[in-house]
Amino acid sequence: MTAQATEAGATFEYEEVHGIDTSTRPLRVAHGWDPEAPEWMTADTVIIATGAAAKRLDIPGTGDGPNGFWQRGVSACAVCDGAIMAKDTQSFVIGGGDAACEEALYLTKFASEVHLVVRRDALRASVVMANRVKEHPKIQIHWNSNVKEVTGGDRMEKLILHNSASGEDVEMAAGSL
């Protein structure tokens, strides 16, 4: 991608940016190591690529290393890993917002069943997204619940689901989280 952009005339500047003045054209970009005395450059277009980092929950069994199942059933990206990890398994998604609902819906293409684990008694997702999830025959919602622990052998095999309303813990077969 970089080579293609360079061939099209793009230049790449890897610097700390302190601000962008959008009141003029071309745009003015404040950069450099000293935010109090920045250098300025101009650009017709600025692409801000800040990167991304997975949100990893502090749940026993979800980390790296011999006692964790990170990338051995546990992932932070259904689109990235779902076709491999969730294939023909009971898959779990944690969350009640639009992103979690979207991930759950995506996993229905691969998983035998998708379990959406929601801490509260309602979804925070948009009404349209919430309705899609609630009406999907392959999605089961676990209200007032959280994942307590992930266990298995070479791969994730089970998890313990805790219901905060009843206080009950349930061990469930799980191929991916």
Side-chain angles (χ1 to χ4, degrees):
M1 183 168 53
T2 305
Q4 182 181 7
T6 303
E7 286 176 25
T11 58
F12 293 84
E13 301 289 336
Y14 299 96
E15 295 200 38
E16 191 166 326
V17 172
H18 304 292
I20 300 174
D21 179 0
T22 60
S23 65
T24 64
R25 294 283 182 217
L27 302 168
R28 290 176 18 108
V29 179
H31 66 96
W33 298 110
D34 185 359
E36 300 300 319
E39 297 176 40
W40 290 88
M41 70 173 73
T42 60
D44 294 319
T45 304
V46 175
I47 298 173
I48 301 171
T50 59
K55 285 186 179 179
R56 293 175 68 169
L57 301 174
D58 189 22
I59 300 169
T62 61
D64 297 311
N67 297 324
F69 295 95
W70 185 253
Q71 294 304 310
R72 295 185 298 135
V74 177
S75 173
C77 179
V79 174
C80 308
D81 303 318
I84 297 167
M85 286 191 192
K87 188 171 174 48
D88 300 324
T89 68
Q90 287 199 81
S91 294
F92 288 75
V93 176
I94 298 173
D98 281 318
C101 289
E102 185 122 11
E103 299 268 295
L105 286 165
Y106 178 78
L107 287 174
T108 61
K109 297 176 184 180
F110 311 105
S112 57
E113 191 172 6
V114 177
H115 298 266
L116 185 62
V117 181
V118 183
R119 284 182 300 156
R120 302 171 28 183
D121 61 355
L123 295 172
R124 291 182 329 247
S126 66
V127 173
V128 171
M129 185 65 73
N131 287 339
R132 284 184 193 151
V133 167
K134 289 175 184 176
E135 294 168 4
H136 200 288
K138 287 178 82 173
I139 297 177
Q140 180 180 349
I141 302 173
H142 300 273
W143 304 108
N144 302 305
S145 296
N146 57 64
V147 175
K148 194 172 180 179
E149 183 180 5
V150 173
T151 63
D154 291 335
R155 289 188 39 82
M156 173 184 179
E157 295 169 4
K158 299 176 186 173
L159 58 74
I160 297 172
L161 205 58
H162 175 75
N163 184 295
S164 58
S166 70
E168 182 181 13
D169 286 349
V170 178
E171 186 175 85
M172 298 182 71
S176 67
L177 171 66

